[in-house]
Coordinates of all heavy atoms in Angstrom, one line a residue:
M236 N 80.2 -2.2 4.3 CA 81.6 -1.7 4.3 C 82.3 -2.0 5.7 O 81.8 -1.5 6.7 CB 81.7 -0.2 3.9 CG 83.1 0.1 3.6 SD 82.9 1.7 2.6 CE 84.3 2.6 3.2
L237 N 83.4 -2.7 5.7 CA 84.2 -2.9 6.8 C 85.1 -1.7 7.2 O 85.3 -1.5 8.4 CB 85.0 -4.1 6.7 CG 84.4 -5.5 6.2 CD1 85.4 -6.5 6.0 CD2 83.4 -5.8 7.2
G238 N 85.5 -1.0 6.2 CA 86.3 0.2 6.5 C 87.0 0.7 5.3 O 86.6 0.2 4.2
S239 N 88.0 1.4 5.5 CA 88.7 2.1 4.2 C 90.1 2.3 4.5 O 90.4 2.3 5.8 CB 88.0 3.3 3.9 OG 88.2 4.3 4.8
I240 N 91.0 2.3 3.5 CA 92.4 2.7 3.7 C 92.8 3.4 2.4 O 92.3 3.2 1.4 CB 93.3 1.4 3.9 CG1 94.7 1.8 4.2 CG2 93.2 0.5 2.7 CD1 95.6 0.7 4.9
G241 N 93.7 4.4 2.6 CA 94.2 5.1 1.4 C 95.5 5.8 1.8 O 95.9 5.9 2.9
L242 N 96.1 6.3 0.7 CA 97.2 7.2 0.8 C 96.8 8.6 0.5 O 96.0 8.9 -0.4 CB 98.3 6.8 -0.2 CG 98.9 5.3 -0.1 CD1 99.9 5.0 -1.2 CD2 99.6 5.2 1.3
H243 N 97.3 9.5 1.2 CA 97.2 11.0 1.0 C 98.6 11.7 1.2 O 99.6 11.1 1.5 CB 96.0 11.6 2.0 CG 96.5 11.4 3.4 ND1 97.1 12.4 4.1 CD2 96.3 10.6 4.3 CE1 97.3 12.2 5.2 NE2 96.9 11.0 5.6
S244 N 98.5 12.9 0.8 CA 99.7 13.8 0.9 C 100.8 13.1 0.1 O 101.9 13.0 0.7 CB 100.1 14.1 2.3 OG 99.2 14.7 3.0
I245 N 100.5 12.6 -1.1 CA 101.4 11.8 -1.8 C 102.4 12.9 -2.6 O 101.9 13.9 -3.2 CB 100.7 11.0 -3.0 CG1 100.0 9.9 -2.2 CG2 101.8 10.4 -3.9 CD1 98.8 9.3 -3.4
S246 N 103.7 12.6 -2.4 CA 104.7 13.4 -3.1 C 105.5 12.5 -4.0 O 106.4 11.8 -3.4 CB 105.6 14.1 -2.0 OG 106.7 14.7 -2.8
L247 N 105.4 12.6 -5.2 CA 106.2 11.7 -6.2 C 107.6 12.3 -6.2 O 108.6 11.4 -6.4 CB 105.5 11.7 -7.6 CG 104.1 11.1 -7.7 CD1 103.7 11.2 -9.1 CD2 104.1 9.8 -7.2
A248 N 107.7 13.6 -6.1 CA 109.1 14.1 -6.0 C 109.9 13.7 -4.9 O 111.1 13.3 -5.0 CB 109.1 15.7 -5.9
H249 N 109.2 13.3 -3.8 CA 110.0 12.9 -2.5 C 109.8 11.4 -2.3 O 110.2 10.9 -1.4 CB 109.5 13.7 -1.3 CG 109.9 15.2 -1.4 ND1 111.2 15.6 -1.4 CD2 109.2 16.3 -1.7 CE1 111.3 16.9 -1.5 NE2 110.1 17.3 -1.8
K250 N 108.9 10.8 -3.2 CA 108.6 9.3 -3.1 C 108.1 8.9 -1.8 O 108.5 8.0 -1.2 CB 109.9 8.5 -3.4 CG 110.5 8.7 -4.8 CD 111.7 7.9 -5.1 CE 112.2 8.2 -6.5 NZ 111.4 7.9 -7.5
S251 N 107.1 9.7 -1.3 CA 106.5 9.6 0.1 C 105.0 9.7 0.0 O 104.4 10.4 -0.9 CB 107.2 10.5 1.1 OG 106.9 11.9 0.8
A252 N 104.3 9.2 1.0 CA 102.9 9.3 1.3 C 102.6 8.9 2.6 O 103.2 8.3 3.4 CB 102.1 8.5 0.2
D253 N 101.4 9.5 3.0 CA 100.8 9.2 4.4 C 99.8 8.2 4.2 O 98.9 8.3 3.2 CB 100.2 10.4 4.9 CG 101.2 11.5 5.5 OD1 102.3 11.7 4.7 OD2 101.2 11.8 6.6
V254 N 99.6 7.2 5.1 CA 98.5 6.3 5.1 C 97.5 6.7 6.1 O 97.8 7.1 7.1 CB 99.0 4.9 5.3 CG1 99.6 4.7 6.7 CG2 98.0 3.8 5.0
G255 N 96.2 6.5 5.8 CA 95.1 6.7 6.7 C 94.2 5.5 6.6 O 93.9 5.0 5.5
Y256 N 93.6 5.0 7.6 CA 92.6 3.9 7.6 C 91.6 4.1 8.7 O 91.7 4.9 9.6 CB 93.4 2.6 7.8 CG 94.3 2.5 9.0 CD1 93.9 2.2 10.3 CD2 95.6 2.9 8.8 CE1 94.7 2.1 11.3 CE2 96.5 2.9 10.0 CZ 95.9 2.6 11.2 OH 96.8 2.4 12.3
D257 N 90.4 3.4 8.5 CA 89.3 3.4 9.4 C 88.6 2.0 9.3 O 88.3 1.7 8.2 CB 88.4 4.6 9.0 CG 87.4 4.8 10.1 OD1 87.6 4.5 11.2 OD2 86.2 5.1 9.7
I258 N 88.4 1.4 10.4 CA 87.7 0.1 10.4 C 86.5 0.3 11.3 O 86.6 0.9 12.5 CB 88.7 -1.1 11.0 CG1 89.9 -1.2 10.1 CG2 88.0 -2.4 11.1 CD1 89.6 -1.7 8.6
A259 N 85.4 -0.3 11.0 CA 84.2 -0.1 11.8 C 84.5 -0.9 13.1 O 85.1 -2.0 13.0 CB 83.0 -0.8 11.0
P260 N 84.1 -0.3 14.2 CA 84.3 -0.8 15.5 C 84.1 -2.3 15.7 O 84.8 -3.0 16.4 CB 83.6 0.0 16.4 CG 83.4 1.3 15.8 CD 83.3 0.9 14.3
Q261 N 82.9 -2.8 15.1 CA 82.6 -4.2 15.2 C 83.6 -5.1 14.6 O 83.6 -6.3 14.9 CB 81.2 -4.5 14.9 CG 80.9 -4.3 13.4 CD 80.4 -2.9 13.0 OE1 80.8 -1.9 13.6 NE2 79.6 -2.9 11.9
Y262 N 84.5 -4.6 13.8 CA 85.5 -5.3 13.2 C 86.9 -5.2 13.7 O 87.9 -5.8 13.3 CB 85.5 -5.2 11.6 CG 84.2 -5.7 11.1 CD1 83.3 -4.6 10.7 CD2 83.9 -7.0 10.9 CE1 82.1 -5.1 10.2 CE2 82.6 -7.3 10.3 CZ 81.7 -6.3 10.0 OH 80.5 -6.8 9.4
W263 N 87.0 -4.5 14.8 CA 88.3 -4.3 15.4 C 88.9 -5.5 16.0 O 88.1 -6.5 16.4 CB 88.2 -3.2 16.5 CG 88.0 -1.8 16.0 CD1 87.9 -1.3 14.8 CD2 87.8 -0.6 16.9 NE1 87.6 0.1 14.8 CE2 87.6 0.5 16.0 CE3 87.7 -0.5 18.3 CZ2 87.2 1.8 16.5 CZ3 87.5 0.8 18.8 CH2 87.3 1.9 17.9
G264 N 90.2 -5.6 16.1 CA 90.9 -6.7 16.7 C 90.9 -7.9 15.8 O 91.4 -9.1 16.4
R265 N 90.6 -7.9 14.6 CA 90.6 -9.0 13.8 C 91.8 -9.0 12.7 O 91.9 -10.0 11.9 CB 89.3 -9.2 12.8 CG 88.2 -9.3 13.8 CD 86.8 -9.4 13.0 NE 85.7 -9.4 13.9 CZ 84.5 -9.7 13.5 NH1 84.4 -10.2 12.4 NH2 83.5 -9.7 14.4
G266 N 92.7 -8.1 12.8 CA 93.8 -8.0 11.9 C 93.5 -7.4 10.6 O 94.4 -7.4 9.6
L267 N 92.4 -6.8 10.4 CA 92.0 -6.3 9.1 C 92.8 -5.1 8.8 O 93.3 -4.9 7.6 CB 90.5 -5.9 9.0 CG 89.5 -7.2 9.1 CD1 88.1 -6.6 9.4 CD2 89.7 -8.1 8.0
A268 N 93.0 -4.1 9.7 CA 93.7 -2.9 9.4 C 95.2 -3.2 9.2 O 95.8 -2.7 8.4 CB 93.5 -1.9 10.7
T269 N 95.7 -4.2 9.9 CA 97.1 -4.6 9.7 C 97.2 -5.2 8.4 O 98.2 -4.8 7.7 CB 97.5 -5.7 10.8 OG1 97.4 -5.1 12.2 CG2 99.0 -6.1 10.7
A270 N 96.5 -6.0 7.9 CA 96.6 -6.7 6.6 C 96.3 -5.6 5.6 O 97.2 -5.6 4.6 CB 95.5 -7.7 6.5
A271 N 95.4 -4.7 5.7 CA 95.4 -3.6 4.7 C 96.5 -2.7 4.7 O 97.0 -2.2 3.6 CB 94.1 -2.7 5.1
C272 N 97.1 -2.4 5.8 CA 98.3 -1.5 5.9 C 99.5 -2.3 5.2 O 100.2 -1.6 4.3 CB 98.8 -1.2 7.3 SG 97.9 0.2 8.1
R273 N 99.6 -3.5 5.5 CA 100.7 -4.3 4.7 C 100.5 -4.2 3.2 O 101.4 -4.2 2.4 CB 100.7 -5.7 5.2 CG 101.3 -5.8 6.5 CD 101.3 -7.2 7.0 NE 101.8 -7.4 8.5 CZ 101.5 -8.3 9.3 NH1 100.6 -9.2 8.9 NH2 102.2 -8.3 10.5
A274 N 99.2 -4.5 2.8 CA 98.9 -4.5 1.4 C 99.1 -3.2 0.7 O 99.6 -3.0 -0.4 CB 97.4 -5.0 1.1
I275 N 98.7 -2.0 1.3 CA 98.8 -0.7 0.7 C 100.4 -0.4 0.7 O 100.8 0.4 -0.3 CB 98.0 0.4 1.3 CG1 97.8 1.4 0.3 CG2 98.6 0.9 2.6 CD1 96.5 2.3 0.6
V276 N 101.2 -0.8 1.7 CA 102.6 -0.5 1.6 C 103.3 -1.2 0.5 O 103.9 -0.6 -0.3 CB 103.2 -0.9 2.9 CG1 104.8 -1.0 2.7 CG2 102.9 0.1 4.0
A277 N 102.8 -2.5 0.3 CA 103.3 -3.3 -0.8 C 103.1 -2.5 -2.2 O 103.8 -2.5 -3.1 CB 102.8 -4.7 -0.8
W278 N 101.7 -2.2 -2.3 CA 101.3 -1.5 -3.5 C 102.1 -0.2 -3.7 O 102.5 0.0 -4.8 CB 99.9 -1.3 -3.5 CG 99.3 -0.6 -4.7 CD1 99.0 -1.2 -5.8 CD2 99.2 0.8 -4.8 NE1 98.6 -0.2 -6.8 CE2 98.6 1.0 -6.2 CE3 99.3 1.9 -4.0 CZ2 98.4 2.3 -6.7 CZ3 99.1 3.2 -4.6 CH2 98.6 3.3 -5.9
A279 N 102.3 0.6 -2.7 CA 102.9 1.8 -2.8 C 104.5 1.5 -3.3 O 104.9 2.5 -4.0 CB 103.0 2.6 -1.4
R280 N 105.1 0.5 -2.8 CA 106.4 0.2 -3.3 C 106.5 -0.1 -4.7 O 107.4 0.5 -5.4 CB 107.0 -1.0 -2.5 CG 107.1 -0.8 -1.0 CD 108.4 0.0 -0.7 NE 108.5 0.0 0.8 CZ 108.3 1.0 1.5 NH1 107.8 2.1 1.0 NH2 108.5 1.0 2.8
L281 N 105.4 -0.7 -5.2 CA 105.4 -1.0 -6.7 C 105.2 0.3 -7.4 O 105.6 0.3 -8.6 CB 104.2 -2.0 -7.0 CG 104.4 -3.5 -6.5 CD1 103.1 -4.2 -6.7 CD2 105.6 -4.1 -7.1
Q282 N 104.6 1.3 -6.9 CA 104.5 2.6 -7.5 C 105.7 3.4 -7.4 O 105.6 4.6 -7.9 CB 103.2 3.4 -6.8 CG 102.0 2.6 -6.8 CD 101.6 1.8 -8.2 OE1 101.6 2.4 -9.2 NE2 101.5 0.6 -8.2
G283 N 106.8 3.0 -6.7 CA 108.0 3.7 -6.6 C 108.2 4.5 -5.4 O 109.1 5.4 -5.2
L284 N 107.1 4.4 -4.4 CA 107.2 5.2 -3.0 C 108.1 4.6 -2.2 O 108.2 3.4 -2.0 CB 105.8 5.4 -2.4 CG 104.8 6.1 -3.4 CD1 103.5 6.2 -2.6 CD2 105.3 7.5 -3.7
V285 N 108.9 5.4 -1.5 CA 110.0 4.8 -0.5 C 109.5 5.0 0.9 O 109.5 4.1 1.7 CB 111.3 5.5 -0.7 CG1 112.4 5.2 0.4 CG2 111.9 5.3 -2.1
R286 N 109.1 6.2 1.3 CA 108.5 6.5 2.6 C 107.0 6.5 2.7 O 106.4 7.2 2.1 CB 109.2 7.9 3.1 CG 108.7 8.2 4.5 CD 109.2 9.6 4.9 NE 108.7 10.0 6.0 CZ 109.2 9.6 7.2 NH1 110.3 8.9 7.3 NH2 108.6 10.0 8.4
I287 N 106.6 5.7 3.6 CA 105.1 5.7 3.9 C 105.1 6.0 5.4 O 105.7 5.3 6.2 CB 104.5 4.3 3.7 CG1 104.8 3.8 2.2 CG2 103.0 4.4 3.9 CD1 104.3 4.6 1.0
Q288 N 104.3 7.0 5.8 CA 104.2 7.4 7.1 C 102.8 7.5 7.6 O 101.8 7.5 6.8 CB 104.9 8.7 7.3 CG 104.3 10.0 6.8 CD 105.0 11.2 7.2 OE1 106.3 11.1 7.4 NE2 104.3 12.3 7.2
A289 N 102.6 7.5 8.9 CA 101.3 7.7 9.4 C 101.5 8.5 10.8 O 102.5 8.5 11.5 CB 100.7 6.3 9.9
T290 N 100.4 9.2 11.1 CA 100.4 10.0 12.4 C 99.2 9.4 13.1 O 98.2 9.2 12.6 CB 100.3 11.5 12.2 OG1 99.1 11.8 11.4 CG2 101.5 12.1 11.5
V291 N 99.5 9.3 14.5 CA 98.4 8.8 15.4 C 98.4 9.5 16.8 O 99.6 9.8 17.1 CB 98.7 7.2 15.4 CG1 100.0 6.9 16.1 CG2 97.6 6.5 16.2
L292 N 97.3 9.6 17.3 CA 97.2 10.1 18.7 C 98.0 9.2 19.6 O 97.8 8.0 19.5 CB 95.8 10.5 19.1 CG 95.0 11.5 18.2 CD1 93.6 11.5 18.6 CD2 95.6 12.8 18.5
P293 N 98.6 9.7 20.6 CA 99.4 8.9 21.5 C 98.5 7.9 22.3 O 99.0 6.8 22.6 CB 100.0 10.0 22.5 CG 100.2 11.2 21.6 CD 99.0 11.2 20.7
D294 N 97.2 8.3 22.6 CA 96.4 7.4 23.4 C 95.6 6.4 22.6 O 94.8 5.7 23.0 CB 95.5 8.2 24.3 CG 94.6 9.1 23.5 OD1 94.8 9.2 22.3 OD2 93.6 9.6 24.1
N295 N 95.8 6.4 21.2 CA 95.2 5.5 20.3 C 96.0 4.1 20.3 O 96.7 3.9 19.4 CB 95.0 6.0 19.0 CG 94.0 5.2 18.1 OD1 93.9 3.9 18.4 ND2 93.6 5.8 17.0
S296 N 95.9 3.3 21.3 CA 96.7 2.1 21.5 C 96.4 1.2 20.3 O 97.3 0.4 19.9 CB 96.6 1.5 22.8 OG 95.2 1.2 23.2
A297 N 95.1 1.0 20.0 CA 94.8 0.1 18.9 C 95.5 0.4 17.6 O 96.0 -0.5 16.9 CB 93.3 0.0 18.7
S298 N 95.5 1.7 17.3 CA 96.2 2.2 16.0 C 97.7 2.0 16.1 O 98.3 1.6 15.1 CB 95.8 3.5 15.6 OG 96.0 3.8 14.3
L299 N 98.2 2.2 17.3 CA 99.7 2.0 17.4 C 100.1 0.6 17.3 O 101.0 0.3 16.6 CB 100.0 2.5 18.8 CG 100.0 3.9 19.1 CD1 100.2 4.2 20.6 CD2 100.9 4.7 18.3
R300 N 99.2 -0.3 17.8 CA 99.5 -1.8 17.5 C 99.4 -2.1 16.0 O 100.2 -2.9 15.4 CB 98.5 -2.7 18.3 CG 98.8 -2.8 19.8 CD 98.2 -4.0 20.5 NE 96.6 -3.8 20.3 CZ 95.9 -3.0 21.0 NH1 96.5 -2.1 22.0 NH2 94.7 -2.9 20.8
V301 N 98.4 -1.7 15.4 CA 98.1 -1.9 13.9 C 99.5 -1.5 13.2 O 100.0 -2.3 12.4 CB 97.0 -1.1 13.4 CG1 97.1 -1.0 11.8 CG2 95.7 -1.7 13.8
L302 N 99.9 -0.3 13.5 CA 101.2 0.3 12.7 C 102.3 -0.6 13.1 O 103.1 -1.0 12.1 CB 101.4 1.7 13.0 CG 100.3 2.7 12.6 CD1 100.7 4.0 13.1 CD2 100.3 2.7 11.0
E303 N 102.5 -1.0 14.3 CA 103.8 -1.8 14.7 C 103.6 -3.2 14.1 O 104.6 -3.7 13.5 CB 103.8 -1.8 16.2 CG 104.2 -0.5 16.8 CD 104.2 -0.4 18.2 OE1 103.7 -1.2 18.9 OE2 104.5 0.7 18.7
H304 N 102.4 -3.8 14.2 CA 102.4 -5.2 13.5 C 102.4 -5.2 12.0 O 102.8 -6.2 11.3 CB 100.9 -5.7 13.9 CG 100.8 -6.2 15.3 ND1 99.6 -6.3 15.9 CD2 101.7 -6.5 16.2 CE1 99.7 -6.6 17.1 NE2 101.0 -6.7 17.4
A305 N 102.1 -3.9 11.3 CA 102.4 -3.8 9.9 C 103.8 -3.4 9.5 O 104.0 -3.2 8.4 CB 101.4 -2.8 9.4
G306 N 104.8 -3.3 10.5 CA 106.1 -3.1 10.2 C 106.5 -1.6 10.2 O 107.6 -1.3 9.8
F307 N 105.6 -0.8 10.8 CA 105.9 0.7 10.8 C 106.8 0.9 12.2 O 106.6 0.1 13.1 CB 104.7 1.6 11.0 CG 104.0 1.8 9.7 CD1 103.3 0.7 9.0 CD2 104.0 3.0 9.1 CE1 102.7 0.9 7.9 CE2 103.3 3.2 7.9 CZ 102.7 2.2 7.3
E308 N 107.7 1.9 12.2 CA 108.5 2.1 13.3 C 108.3 3.5 13.8 O 108.1 4.5 12.9 CB 110.0 1.9 13.0 CG 110.3 0.5 12.6 CD 111.8 0.3 12.3 OE1 112.6 1.3 12.6 OE2 112.1 -0.7 11.7
P309 N 108.3 3.7 15.1 CA 108.1 5.1 15.6 C 109.3 6.1 15.4 O 110.5 5.7 15.4 CB 108.1 4.9 17.1 CG 108.7 3.6 17.4 CD 108.6 2.7 16.2
E310 N 108.9 7.2 15.0 CA 110.0 8.3 14.8 C 110.0 9.4 15.7 O 111.0 10.1 15.8 CB 109.8 8.9 13.3 CG 110.1 7.8 12.3 CD 110.4 8.4 10.9 OE1 109.7 9.5 10.6 OE2 111.1 7.8 10.1
G311 N 108.9 9.7 16.3 CA 108.9 10.9 17.2 C 107.5 11.4 17.4 O 106.5 10.9 16.9
R312 N 107.4 12.6 18.1 CA 106.2 13.3 18.4 C 106.2 14.7 17.7 O 107.2 15.3 17.7 CB 106.2 13.4 19.9 CG 105.0 14.2 20.4 CD 105.0 14.4 21.9 NE 104.9 13.2 22.6 CZ 103.7 12.6 23.1 NH1 102.6 13.4 23.2 NH2 103.8 11.4 23.7
L313 N 105.1 14.9 17.1 CA 104.9 16.3 16.6 C 103.9 16.9 17.6 O 102.8 16.6 17.7 CB 104.2 16.2 15.2 CG 105.0 15.6 14.1 CD1 104.2 15.5 12.8 CD2 106.3 16.5 13.8
R314 N 104.3 18.0 18.1 CA 103.6 18.7 19.2 C 102.6 19.6 18.6 O 102.8 20.4 17.7 CB 104.7 19.5 20.1 CG 105.5 18.5 20.8 CD 106.7 19.2 21.6 NE 106.2 20.2 22.3 CZ 106.8 21.4 22.6 NH1 107.9 21.7 22.0 NH2 106.3 22.3 23.4
K315 N 101.4 19.6 19.2 CA 100.3 20.5 18.7 C 100.1 20.5 17.3 O 99.9 21.4 16.7 CB 100.5 21.8 19.3 CG 100.8 21.9 20.8 CD 99.9 22.6 21.5 CE 100.3 22.8 22.9 NZ 99.6 21.7 23.8
Y316 N 100.0 19.2 16.7 CA 100.1 19.0 15.2 C 98.5 18.9 14.6 O 98.4 19.4 13.5 CB 100.8 17.8 14.9 CG 101.0 17.6 13.4 CD1 101.9 18.4 12.7 CD2 100.4 16.6 12.8 CE1 102.2 18.2 11.4 CE2 100.6 16.5 11.4 CZ 101.6 17.2 10.7 OH 101.7 17.0 9.4
R317 N 97.6 18.4 15.4 CA 96.3 18.2 14.9 C 95.4 18.9 15.8 O 95.6 18.9 17.0 CB 95.8 16.8 14.8 CG 96.7 15.8 13.9 CD 95.8 15.6 12.7 NE 96.6 14.7 11.8 CZ 97.2 15.1 10.8 NH1 97.3 16.2 10.4 NH2 97.9 14.1 10.1
W318 N 94.4 19.6 15.1 CA 93.4 20.3 15.9 C 92.1 19.4 16.1 O 91.5 18.9 15.0 CB 92.9 21.6 15.1 CG 92.3 22.6 16.0 CD1 90.9 22.8 15.8 CD2 92.8 23.5 16.8 NE1 90.5 23.8 16.8 CE2 91.7 24.1 17.4 CE3 94.1 23.8 17.4 CZ2 91.9 25.1 18.4 CZ3 94.2 24.7 18.4 CH2 93.1 25.4 18.9
I319 N 91.9 19.0 17.2 CA 90.8 17.9 17.5 C 89.9 18.5 18.6 O 90.4 18.8 19.7 CB 91.4 16.6 17.8 CG1 92.2 16.0 16.6 CG2 90.3 15.6 18.2 CD1 93.0 14.8 16.9
E320 N 88.6 18.6 18.2 CA 87.6 19.0 19.2 C 87.9 20.3 20.0 O 87.9 20.4 21.2 CB 87.3 17.8 20.2 CG 86.7 16.7 19.5 CD 86.4 15.5 20.4 OE1 86.6 15.6 21.7 OE2 85.9 14.5 20.0
G321 N 88.5 21.3 19.2 CA 88.7 22.6 19.8 C 90.1 22.7 20.5 O 90.4 23.7 21.1
R322 N 90.9 21.8 20.4 CA 92.3 21.9 21.1 C 93.4 21.2 20.1 O 93.1 20.3 19.4 CB 92.3 21.3 22.4 CG 92.1 19.8 22.4 CD 92.2 19.3 24.0 NE 92.1 17.9 23.9 CZ 93.3 17.1 24.1 NH1 94.4 17.6 24.2 NH2 93.1 15.8 24.1
A323 N 94.5 21.8 20.3 CA 95.7 21.4 19.5 C 96.2 20.1 20.2 O 96.4 20.1 21.5 CB 96.8 22.4 19.4
C324 N 96.5 19.0 19.5 CA 96.9 17.7 20.0 C 98.3 17.3 19.3 O 98.5 17.5 18.2 CB 95.9 16.7 19.8 SG 94.3 17.0 20.6
D325 N 99.1 16.7 20.3 CA 100.2 16.1 19.8 C 99.9 14.6 18.9 O 98.9 14.1 19.2 CB 101.1 15.6 20.9 CG 101.7 16.7 21.8 OD1 101.4 18.0 21.3 OD2 102.4 16.4 22.7
V326 N 100.7 14.4 18.1 CA 100.6 13.0 17.4 C 102.0 12.5 17.3 O 103.0 13.0 17.4 CB 100.1 13.1 16.0 CG1 98.7 13.8 16.0 CG2 101.0 14.0 15.1
L327 N 102.0 11.1 17.2 CA 103.2 10.3 17.1 C 103.4 10.0 15.6 O 102.3 9.8 14.9 CB 103.2 9.0 17.7 CG 102.9 9.1 19.4 CD1 102.9 7.8 20.0 CD2 104.1 9.9 20.0
V328 N 104.6 10.0 15.1 CA 104.9 9.8 13.7 C 105.5 8.3 13.6 O 106.5 8.0 14.2 CB 105.8 10.8 13.0 CG1 106.2 10.5 11.7 CG2 105.2 12.2 13.1
Y329 N 104.9 7.6 12.7 CA 105.5 6.2 12.3 C 105.8 6.2 10.9 O 105.1 6.8 10.2 CB 104.5 5.1 12.7 CG 104.4 4.8 14.1 CD1 104.0 5.6 15.2 CD2 104.9 3.5 14.5 CE1 104.0 5.3 16.5 CE2 104.8 3.1 15.9 CZ 104.5 4.0 16.8 OH 104.4 3.7 18.1
S330 N 106.9 5.4 10.6 CA 107.2 5.3 9.2 C 107.5 3.9 8.8 O 107.9 3.0 9.7 CB 108.4 6.1 8.8 OG 109.5 5.6 9.4
H331 N 107.2 3.5 7.5 CA 107.6 2.3 7.0 C 108.6 2.6 5.8 O 108.3 3.3 4.9 CB 106.4 1.5 6.4 CG 106.6 0.1 6.2 ND1 107.5 -0.4 5.2 CD2 106.0 -1.0 6.7 CE1 107.5 -1.7 5.2 NE2 106.6 -2.1 6.2
L332 N 109.8 2.1 6.0 CA 110.9 2.3 5.1 C 111.4 0.9 4.5 O 111.4 -0.1 5.2 CB 112.1 3.1 5.7 CG 111.7 4.5 6.2 CD1 112.7 5.0 7.0 CD2 111.3 5.4 5.2
P333 N 111.9 0.8 3.2 CA 112.4 -0.4 2.7 C 113.5 -1.0 3.6 O 114.3 -0.1 4.2 CB 112.9 -0.1 1.4 CG 112.5 1.3 1.2 CD 112.0 2.0 2.3
A334 N 113.7 -2.1 3.7 CA 114.8 -2.8 4.5 C 116.2 -2.5 3.8 O 116.4 -2.4 2.7 CB 114.5 -4.2 4.6

């Protein structure tokens, strides 16, 4: 298995979902996550979803590049949003909206 991608926190009422993905480190840098993000956004649009968003740690430069290459745009910072290894961490919010 090279990795996985999926939608979570799906709200049909608000036509939104969050995307999450994980690629095995030996396959990083090959465009797999970017291609998967583009594909799942296209599929989500066919399902009637309008807003697809992702949250990412500010120091995760690889994931930030994936989202930007997949057409996501930065929206801002959620302070102390995720609890990771015993501490509250900020995350950046990115969204993909129809043109």
Side-chain angles (χ1 to χ4, degrees):
M236 188 161 141
L237 304 178
S239 65
I240 188 165
L242 298 176
H243 64 91
S244 304
I245 298 167
S246 172
L247 298 178
H249 296 291
K250 299 183 184 296
S251 66
D253 287 49
V254 65
Y256 52 86
D257 187 33
I258 301 292
Q261 65 266 33
Y262 297 104
W263 289 358
R265 299 183 187 192
L267 297 173
T269 298
C272 277
R273 288 177 179 153
I275 206 161
V276 166
W278 180 85
R280 296 279 185 259
L281 292 175
Q282 307 312 307
L284 298 177
V285 174
R286 177 185 175 82
I287 311 300
Q288 71 176 28
T290 57
V291 61
L292 294 171
D294 62 349
N295 188 343
S296 59
S298 195
L299 292 171
R300 276 193 309 278
V301 165
L302 293 172
E303 288 170 0
H304 288 159
F307 284 72
E308 295 183 16
E310 289 195 334
R312 178 181 296 258
L313 296 173
R314 296 172 51 218
K315 310 247 184 260
Y316 189 74
R317 295 262 187 254
W318 196 260
I319 300 173
E320 296 179 1
R322 67 181 184 93
C324 297
D325 293 0
V326 296
L327 301 177
V328 178
Y329 276 68
S330 68
H331 195 290
L332 302 169

